[in-house]
Amino acid sequence: FDEPQVALLLAGGTIRILRLEELQVVRTIETHSVLRGAAVVATPSFDRLAVTSDSGALSVLSFDNNTTTEPSVVTIGKTGCRRTTPGQYVAADPHGRAVWMGAVEQGKLVQVVHVDATNNPSILTANRSRCLTMAMVALDVGLDNPRVACLECTYADLESDTPATPWEVAYYELDLGLNHVSRIWATAVAEASCLAAVPSRGVL
């Protein structure tokens, strides 16, 4: 989108693009769905918008002047705003190499969608059982493997002696060479509700 200083606003099933200098709505797009999350995917030529909704799919939208092109759609789960279906949290690598999606609870914590050499999107998962996620943010790591930070905790298994864990900030990394996602680091933190990325520094 070639407007200077613009921002996105999700309101129910509507996407609004605002020009910040004048706080003016430039474009309104009605999706006829319940939007869950969105992130801007940067590319060398122009930016795209990755959106998740109650359709159970990831849609990547492109804007050309006053029109919206046909979206690229990848199915990621069942329909509805389910706590175990990824899409509640969306974060994009600053260099446009991956889109990360997180579920609120249980196994499908993070899903990564990226484009391979054949220009086909593929989906990778990082599973953690009994895990709650409160926030997700992509990290600025330059040209290193894409990483995302998650604020999460696990709850106790009532049928075993497995204890719950305190709130943690965990890093997940997409290895572009091996095409694999792994949890590479975690540290305990005080109970919180949001994360903010700091360029070349980490997260607050």
Side-chain angles (χ1 to χ4, degrees):
F1 192 76
D2 56 0
E3 288 282 349
Q5 298 297 319
V6 298
L8 296 168
L9 175 64
L10 302 184
T14 304
I15 302 173
R16 292 189 176 94
I17 302 176
L18 298 86
R19 185 181 293 112
L20 294 180
E21 294 179 358
E22 306 167 4
L23 288 180
Q24 178 184 3
V25 177
V26 178
R27 186 179 306 167
T28 300
I29 303 166
E30 179 57 56
T31 65
H32 304 288
S33 65
V34 178
L35 298 175
R36 302 181 69 193
V40 176
V41 183
T43 63
S45 55
F46 58 93
D47 294 342
R48 294 181 173 90
L49 180 63
V51 182
T52 56
S53 67
D54 61 343
S55 65
L58 169 72
S59 302
V60 181
L61 307 176
S62 299
F63 303 97
D64 184 10
N65 294 327
N66 292 323
T67 61
T68 303
T69 61
E70 187 71 19
S72 172
V73 180
V74 180
T75 301
I76 57 176
K78 297 180 180 179
T79 58
C81 298
R82 303 170 185 265
R83 67 189 187 203
T84 57
T85 299
Q88 186 66 32
Y89 308 104
V90 183
D93 174 63
H95 294 275
R97 298 171 296 175
V99 177
W100 303 78
M101 293 166 288
V104 174
E105 185 179 357
Q106 294 183 2
K108 294 181 180 179
L109 174 65
V110 181
Q111 290 199 1
V112 185
V113 177
H114 68 98
V115 177
D116 59 23
T118 62
N119 204 35
N120 294 319
S122 61
I123 296 179
L124 306 174
T125 60
N127 296 324
R128 288 199 75 205
S129 61
R130 304 188 312 278
C131 182
L132 298 175
T133 304
M134 288 295 296
M136 174 185 293
V137 64
L139 300 177
D140 184 1
V141 293
L143 297 179
D144 291 341
N145 287 327
R147 293 182 182 179
V148 70
C150 296
L151 180 63
E152 61 185 31
C153 73
T154 59
Y155 55 87
D157 186 352
L158 299 179
E159 297 180 357
S160 71
D161 295 330
T162 304
T165 62
W167 287 99
E168 295 179 321
V169 172
Y171 283 6
Y172 291 81
E173 181 180 81
L174 168 62
D175 192 317
L176 296 173
L178 299 177
N179 204 29
H180 176 72
V181 182
S182 57
R183 189 175 192 258
I184 60 172
W185 178 83
T187 184
V189 296
E191 186 173 341
S193 59
C194 64
L195 294 175
V198 180
S200 303
R201 297 287 183 179
V203 293
L204 294 175

